[in-house]
Amino acid sequence: MRTRITAPALAAVLCLAVATLGDQPARGGPPDAQPTLLTIDDLYLYEGAQGLRLAPDGQSAAYARTWIDPGSRLDRSSLWLNKEGDAKPRSLEPDEPDARSPIFTPDGRWIVFHSTRPRPEGWRQTPPVPPESDPATDLWLIPTDGGQAIPLAGPEKPYGRVFNDTFFGRLSFSPDGRRLAFVADDGKDPRTAEEREADVYVVRPDGGEGYTGYGPAQIWVADLSGEPGSHAAKRIERLTDDDFWYGDPQWSPDGKTLVVHANRTDDQESVRYSINKNYDIWAIDLKTRALRALTTGPGPEVSPRFAPDGRKIACLSIPRKGSHRDVFNIAIISMDDGGLSTRIVFDHHGPEAEKPPHPSPSFPLPEDCWDGDGFLIYSAEAGLDSLTARVDLQTGERTTLDPPPDVEDPLKTFQGRSVRHRKLTPPMNAFLKDRLMSKWEVVRWEVDGLTIEGVLTVPPESVARPPYALVVEPHGGPHSRTGRGSGFNAQILAASGYAVLAPNFRGSSGYGQAFIDADRGDFGGGDMRDILSGVDELIRSGRVDPDRQFIYGVSYGGYMTSWVVGQTNRFRAAVAQNAVTDLDAMWALSDLPSWVEWEFGGRPWEVPRVLRDHSPLTFASRVKTPTLVLNSREDRRCPMPMGLMFHRALLASGVDTQMVVYPNEGHGIRQPRHRADVIRRTLAWFQAHDKH
């Protein structure tokens, strides 16, 4: 995804994040050269600048260069530095070994980063995890001016794997820069000696999708050496030691306290793409290691950020344990002499939610979200748009985004940091200047009194003209959304002559809590009407061929695909990837049973008729549409047995169908060769059934 100053929101549950190509790049190359169409093999040419961070003086920026190795066709990531005055960015290490998510030490002398590289021979190594999980990383440091990278911990490090995701994993320096807080498990095998001897596994609660192989996320603090030798930390302490998972640590300005978020209740569940359990903000006393709850709300309070005065904390808050993607409020925790108090700046779940004074924030809050003591800056979703908002915490009103810059020190202002960040972000993907990119536009239509909008990508005129063959691409979630721009898959389909409609049906995020709740208990009802009405509108306008319609969806988009083909025969072919096809199986096998419980009001034995009536498998005997089923073998969010069940039902009904399994993949198919195979098979499936 495009690198931004503030951290991007977590993708919704049952949803794959797709990089958007955004506005069409200017054409390059010789003046008389004709641009060529984007191809599937162009996937292997993409590179990015992940996690770009400014140095304390603002004169340089570190980032992880990401690309696909042309030989192995595997993802690579290495540490680069872009320095003001240099002719071009440079790699900080020969041969570019693995490195990701860099940050500078407060004095700017060192860069700390995550890496999967092996530790020195004879030292305790980082325990491996399955390939479908987040990579097992440790922390390393390298001098900003270049030199040899060294591990944080010595030969007998006390922790196992360092978390590197956006919910648990965060690195935080103490105000004096001498201590580093991080999140890691202990790396221990949870099995007993008897279990290991018998080579069996007892089923135990774990972190679910993305965290297979990991133990509970715990808080650790490293005391850093002033002049490190073979390793950087002279001492590492464990601050938490239990079976709960802690994340997103931040130091208080006086250096005496760390704040974190954690769900310390018995109601545990995977947090990957889903923040709907009772997370609270906890303070950890650095001297005594005592935990103190700072919030007590029934829903999640997450993403704590200290104000400069150290007496207030901003966090994100939801007043219930609801859907996996409810709308966040901004909460301000005050720690006065009289005790604790929490104030909601504006209730996006309340009676005035349809006319909010500011947009609801996205997760997580930026590290530097406080603008003085009275304003907060954060990322937000508003319809198709992604924006940055600045809010007056007293009035709740959205204010001018960029306050006047501090002339003496521009880096003290958000505006100044933004300017430096943009200036030091290296240009990427120059090859796109020589590609003929398909155009996209926003389309809107009315259904049941609601205005529904989406993004339509159309083929270049040299490839096709209206009325187009159409591919409908419903997003996941359902509480995710489509933003402005056009993803790689949509561009490939358009380059092959297909228009692509990505609709934000009811239930999508970015349109307020009422719009999210409009889909509850009605999956396959109003949301399907929203989608099909949009297709009908395109047909009426003459832009889409009424006889050449196709559908491809992933996760909840896969649910919608599997559902629609059991309700209508209008589509010539369908592709369902990592789909929910049976709600009983989803509750029993997924790492997120609350998804079913919340959306349909109960467990399978409590609402059996409702779950059956809303399961695509129930209507598989009606399906006539040729349907390709794609599944990740290790998907824990939408487990593969649901794909097998649907595929077998289609075979029994005589439907033209095929099932393809992708090994070593979780809910998101990540390996480049698998991503290329998905779009290649999808396109071939549509073309094979597009006789005209």
Side-chain angles (χ1 to χ4, degrees):
M1 300 182 69
R2 294 191 296 267
T3 302
R4 298 186 297 185
I5 296 169
T6 54
L10 277 181
V13 64
L14 312 181
C15 170
L16 295 180
V18 179
T20 57
L21 300 179
D23 296 330
Q24 288 71 46
R27 296 177 184 176
D32 57 346
Q34 294 299 312
T36 59
L37 293 171
L38 197 71
T39 69
I40 294 174
D41 283 342
D42 283 332
L43 172 69
Y44 300 111
L45 300 180
Y46 278 89
E47 61 177 340
Q50 178 265 338
L52 186 141
R53 301 292 290 261
L54 288 178
D57 63 4
Q59 298 304 303
S60 60
Y63 63 94
R65 176 195 171 226
T66 59
W67 77 103
I68 299 171
D69 183 85
S72 65
R73 293 200 163 181
L74 297 176
D75 284 315
R76 293 279 308 278
S77 181
S78 64
L79 188 61
W80 281 59
L81 188 75
N82 194 12
K83 189 173 184 178
E84 180 79 14
D86 286 357
K88 59 182 180 180
R90 60 185 175 90
S91 171
L92 283 179
E93 298 182 275
D95 302 325
E96 298 191 63
D98 181 78
R100 54 194 78 199
S101 304
I103 67 169
F104 287 88
T105 57
D107 61 10
R109 294 175 56 202
W110 295 82
I111 297 171
V112 185
F113 60 95
H114 293 78
S115 179
T116 61
R117 68 186 66 185
R119 285 162 48 82
E121 187 176 353
W123 291 25
R124 184 189 177 197
Q125 297 297 315
T126 302
V129 295
E132 68 273 12
S133 288
D134 283 355
T137 62
D138 200 355
L139 295 178
W140 293 70
L141 288 82
I142 190 171
T144 302
D145 293 334
Q148 182 68 38
I150 59 173
L152 173 71
E156 298 298 328
K157 68 170 183 171
Y159 59 89
R161 316 159 186 94
V162 178
F163 283 77
N164 51 75
D165 67 316
T166 56
F167 188 81
F168 292 112
R170 180 169 180 248
L171 304 180
S172 181
F173 282 100
S174 60
D176 62 10
R178 297 176 181 176
R179 308 181 80 189
L180 175 66
F182 62 98
V183 185
D185 69 1
D186 58 20
K188 296 178 181 177
D189 188 339
R191 296 180 298 169
T192 65
E194 290 81 3
E195 292 167 24
R196 289 194 293 271
E197 176 66 24
D199 192 25
V200 299
Y201 288 85
V202 173
V203 175
R204 295 180 172 90
D206 68 359
E209 174 67 30
Y211 303 117
T212 303
Y214 281 82
Q218 302 289 295
I219 305 299
W220 307 73
V221 170
D223 289 312
L224 302 176
S225 299
E227 296 297 333
S230 63
H231 57 281
K234 55 186 178 183
R235 183 174 66 242
I236 297 177
E237 297 179 279
R238 179 174 183 164
L239 296 188
T240 57
D241 192 0
D242 52 38
D243 291 331
F244 298 117
W245 293 54
Y246 302 86
D248 206 356
Q250 189 191 28
W251 293 82
S252 61
D254 63 10
K256 297 179 180 180
T257 305
L258 277 171
V259 288
V260 298
H261 56 223
N263 174 11
R264 287 175 51 87
T265 73
D266 292 333
D267 185 15
Q268 298 285 326
E269 197 174 63
S270 173
V271 76
R272 185 57 57 102
Y273 318 130
S274 177
I275 308 174
N276 67 342
K277 293 299 182 183
N278 188 12
Y279 285 85
D280 281 306
I281 306 303
W282 296 80
I284 305 175
D285 186 289
L286 271 296
K287 184 176 181 180
T288 66
R289 303 186 187 179
L291 280 166
R292 179 191 183 198
L294 301 183
T295 60
T296 58
E301 277 83 40
V302 293
S303 198
R305 301 289 183 261
F306 265 107
D309 65 5
R311 301 180 63 84
K312 296 186 291 295
I313 297 173
C315 70
L316 301 178
S317 176
I318 297 174
R320 66 182 189 180
K321 290 192 291 186
S323 78
H324 70 271
R325 189 83 187 279
D326 270 2
V327 169
F328 280 114
N329 294 325
I330 299 172
I332 303 298
I333 305 167
S334 295
M335 296 173 288
D336 300 319
D337 295 336
L340 292 170
S341 63
T342 301
R343 177 178 65 90
I344 300 299
V345 176
F346 175 79
D347 187 3
H348 290 272
H349 294 248
E352 304 298 321
E354 292 304 308
K355 296 181 179 179
H358 62 261
S360 60
S362 299
F363 177 89
L365 285 176
E367 294 182 18
D368 56 352
C369 61
W370 283 90
D371 187 14
D373 285 328
F375 298 87
L376 209 68
I377 296 174
Y378 59 86
S379 298
E381 296 176 350
L384 295 163
D385 295 311
S386 297
L387 51 87
T388 301
R390 180 176 183 266
V391 170
D392 185 320
L393 296 177
Q394 288 300 317
T395 66
E397 295 294 328
R398 184 178 177 185
T399 67
T400 302
L401 175 61
D402 293 321
D406 184 335
V407 177
E408 294 183 1
D409 188 358
L411 294 180
K412 286 185 177 180
T413 68
F414 179 82
Q415 181 186 32
R417 292 189 298 273
S418 299
V419 170
R420 295 303 301 165
H421 193 282
R422 287 193 297 269
K423 186 172 184 178
L424 290 170
T425 298
M428 293 285 179
N429 303 315
F431 77 93
L432 289 177
K433 296 179 180 179
D434 300 318
R435 298 294 184 268
L436 180 61
M437 306 300 291
S438 299
K439 296 181 179 180
W440 58 269
E441 62 187 88
V442 176
V443 291
R444 296 182 177 88
W445 61 97
E446 303 292 323
V447 187
D448 299 341
L450 299 172
T451 298
I452 308 299
E453 59 183 5
V455 172
L456 180 69
T457 304
V458 297
E461 290 186 0
S462 60
V463 175
R465 294 174 180 257
Y468 304 111
L470 178 71
V471 175
V472 178
E473 191 175 16
H475 63 66
H479 311 314
S480 180
R481 65 161 192 151
T482 291
R484 293 181 185 271
S486 182
F488 181 78
N489 286 4
Q491 285 286 330
I492 293 298
L493 290 167
S496 300
Y498 297 89
V500 180
L501 174 65
N504 278 342
F505 44 84
R506 70 190 74 180
S508 300
S509 60
Y511 298 88
Q513 190 61 54
F515 199 78
I516 285 177
D517 290 340
D519 206 29
R520 189 180 182 194
D522 191 35
F523 289 2
D527 49 7
M528 182 179 72
R529 291 197 302 276
D530 296 343
I531 293 169
L532 298 185
S533 295
V535 176
D536 290 340
E537 184 63 30
L538 292 174
I539 292 172
R540 280 193 293 270
S541 68
R543 305 190 72 185
V544 166
D545 189 330
D547 298 321
R548 298 175 64 204
Q549 300 170 45
F550 305 83
I551 186 168
Y552 163 58
V554 182
S555 197
Y556 187 80
Y559 168 93
M560 184 56 62
T561 299
S562 305
W563 174 266
V564 163
V565 296
Q567 310 299 316
T568 176
N569 295 326
R570 69 187 295 165
F571 294 101
R572 285 195 174 191
V575 178
Q577 179 180 325
N578 292 349
V580 179
T581 66
D582 182 83
L583 293 172
D584 284 343
M586 179 66 182
W587 182 88
L589 301 178
S590 173
D591 64 348
L592 200 71
S594 71
W595 186 80
V596 173
E597 294 173 19
W598 172 261
E599 300 293 354
F600 294 99
R603 298 180 173 96
W605 55 90
E606 296 168 335
V607 288
R609 180 63 181 271
V610 172
L611 298 189
R612 178 174 174 81
D613 287 349
H614 287 270
S615 292
L617 188 65
T618 301
F619 304 96
S621 63
R622 299 182 183 179
V623 178
K624 305 297 181 186
T625 306
T627 302
L628 174 64
V629 179
L630 308 176
N631 263 102
S632 299
R633 191 178 65 192
E634 282 73 40
D635 188 349
R636 298 188 62 184
R637 185 53 44 93
C638 299
M640 189 176 72
M642 289 193 290
L644 291 166
M645 293 161 66
F646 197 66
H647 176 58
R648 178 166 292 182
L650 296 181
L651 286 174
S653 300
V655 178
D656 184 4
T657 184
Q658 185 181 67
M659 183 171 181
V660 181
V661 176
Y662 295 90
N664 300 323
E665 295 282 16
H667 190 55
I669 292 180
R670 298 185 300 191
Q671 296 181 44
R673 57 180 178 170
H674 288 165
R675 291 165 54 199
D677 187 81
V678 164
I679 186 59
R680 185 175 288 112
R681 286 182 184 275
T682 297
L683 180 58
W685 188 259
F686 291 160
Q687 290 174 333
H689 297 91
D690 187 15
K691 308 299 181 185
H692 63 281

